[in-house]
Amino acid sequence: MTAETIDGKAFAATLRGKVGDQARAFEAAAGRQAGLAVVLVGEDPASQIYVRSKGKATLEAGMASFEHKLAADTPEAELLALVDALNADPAVDGILVQLPLPPHMNEAKVIATIDPDKDVDGFTVVNAGRLATGLHGFVPCTPLGCLMLLKDRLGDLAGLDAVVIGRSNIVGKPMAQLLLKESCTVTVAHSRTRDLADVVRRADIVVAAVGRPAMVTGDWLKPGATVIDVGINRVPGAEPGKTKLVGDVDFPSASTVAGAITPVPGGVGPMTIACLLRNTLVAAQRRAGVRGTEI
Ligand code: GUN
C-alpha cells in the first residue's frame, strides 16, 4: 500500500484565503483591521524566522501586524509591562509571545499575563481549562491544524482509536483534548510508555509530537492508519555540512503501511501559521461583536 500524502501546504493556503476574505469583511464591519501583536525577546535564529513569517502572513491576510523586538537581557518586568499595554490596546486582538524566552524569564508568569481573550496561541491556563471543559476559547494552533487535516481526510472521527505520542502543553495535551471532543478513544503515549510500538499499532489515528527523528516506523502502524507528523527535526543531510528537516515518523517505511500521512516539510508546519491567523480573526470578531462564519 502507498499512503496518500496529506498536502498541508495546500490546505493551509486555502484556509489563509478564507481568513483573508473574512478579515476584509471584518474591516468593513468594524471600521478597523484585525490586529496581531508578536513579541520576540532575544535573537534566537529559529524564532526570528518564525516571527518574520508570522508578520508577513498576517499582512497578507489583510490584518495589522505589530512586532515588538526586545533585547535578550530585557528585565522580565519590562516584558510584563509590554504585555499589559498590549492587553489594553484596542487595536490589538491577538498577542503572541514567541517561546522560548531567555532563561531569566518565567514563561508561565509571562503567559499568565496575557488576556485570555487575546491569547491566540491558546497557552493560558484559562484557555487550557476552557478546552478541557468544552467552553469556547482559543486552541493552540498546531493541534488545531492537525485536527483540521484529520477531519478533512476522515470526516467523522467518532469511535476511532487515536494515539497521541507526546504530552506537551503546546501539542500533545491539547491534541488529546480535541480528539476526545470528537469522540475518539484517546491514548496519550510518552517517553515512559511501555511497548510503544504495540500501543501505536492499535491506532486508526497517530499524531507524533515527540521531537525524535524518524522514531515511528512503518512496522509500528496499523495498515491504513492516518498519520500526522508534528516533528520538525534538523538532522545532517546527504551532503557534508548540510542539514535537512525530518519528522518524528520515518516517511519511507510509514508510507508503505499508512492510509494517509503528512510529509515534513509541507504537512503540519504550514497549518500552524494559518491557524494563528484564524484564531486572530476569531479574537477580533468576538471582541468587536462582529459575526463571522466558522472556519
Ligand atoms: N515557539 C515555537 N512554536 C511556538 C508557537 O506556536 N507559539 C509561540 N508563542 N511560540 C512558539
Side-chain angles (χ1 to χ4, degrees):
M1 185 192 299
T2 300
E4 181 192 321
T5 300
I6 298 174
D7 190 345
K9 205 170 156 190
F11 193 99
T14 305
L15 179 58
R16 282 167 60 166
K18 288 184 194 165
V19 172
D21 291 345
Q22 288 207 44
R24 267 190 299 280
F26 174 84
E27 188 178 351
R32 66 170 183 89
Q33 287 189 316
L36 173 65
V38 176
V39 182
L40 173 64
V41 188
E43 272 105 48
D44 178 66
S47 292
Q48 282 178 326
I49 294 170
Y50 286 137
V51 165
R52 205 175 313 131
S53 37
K54 284 168 189 169
K56 190 164 160 268
T58 305
L59 296 176
E60 280 170 12
M63 303 192 211
S65 169
F66 309 101
E67 280 186 31
H68 295 267
K69 293 187 176 158
L70 306 181
D73 60 357
T74 301
E76 187 188 76
E78 214 171 289
L79 174 60
L80 297 177
L82 171 60
V83 173
D84 275 334
L86 296 171
N87 284 340
D89 185 342
V92 172
D93 298 292
I95 301 170
L96 181 147
V97 178
Q98 185 67 28
L99 303 180
L101 290 170
H104 70 281
M105 291 188 176
N106 178 341
E107 280 186 359
K109 191 171 168 190
V110 173
I111 290 167
T113 309
I114 300 171
D115 177 346
D117 295 333
K118 293 190 176 188
D119 169 32
V120 287
D121 254 333
F123 288 174
T124 56
V125 168
V126 169
N127 280 317
R130 285 170 172 165
L131 175 61
T133 55
L135 297 175
H136 276 292
F138 290 105
V139 176
C141 303
T142 300
L144 180 59
C146 294
L147 184 73
M148 288 181 185
L149 295 177
L150 284 167
K151 287 174 82 167
D152 182 60
R153 158 88 194 162
L154 296 169
D156 185 10
L157 308 182
L160 295 178
D161 276 314
V163 171
V164 179
I165 317 172
R167 54 175 154 179
S168 70
N169 290 338
I170 296 181
V171 183
K173 284 182 207 165
M175 188 76 245
Q177 293 288 359
L178 286 169
L179 291 165
L180 189 58
K181 211 160 128 190
E182 296 296 325
S183 303
C184 290
T185 302
V186 184
T187 303
V188 182
H190 46 78
S191 54
R192 305 290 295 270
T193 297
R194 282 190 227 150
D195 304 322
L196 180 58
D198 289 338
V199 172
V200 173
R201 219 172 275 124
R202 290 201 300 263
D204 304 301
I205 293 170
V206 180
V207 180
V210 263
R212 300 254 308 265
M215 185 182 80
V216 178
T217 48
D219 58 322
W220 288 28
L221 298 173
K222 175 168 161 177
T226 303
V227 180
I228 304 291
D229 189 352
V230 182
I232 301 178
N233 308 289
R234 202 164 271 288
V235 299
E239 290 172 50
K242 290 261 170 75
T243 59
K244 62 171 181 170
L245 290 183
V246 297
D248 292 346
V249 179
D250 178 54
F251 191 90
S253 65
S255 60
T256 65
V257 184
I261 181 169
T262 59
V264 176
V268 172
M271 291 300 291
T272 299
I273 289 190
C275 287
L276 173 67
L277 301 175
R278 181 257 177 214
N279 281 355
T280 303
L281 170 73
V282 172
Q285 290 169 335
R286 287 183 188 159
R287 291 184 61 250
V290 169
R291 283 178 70 97
T293 7
E294 186 61 33
I295 40 176

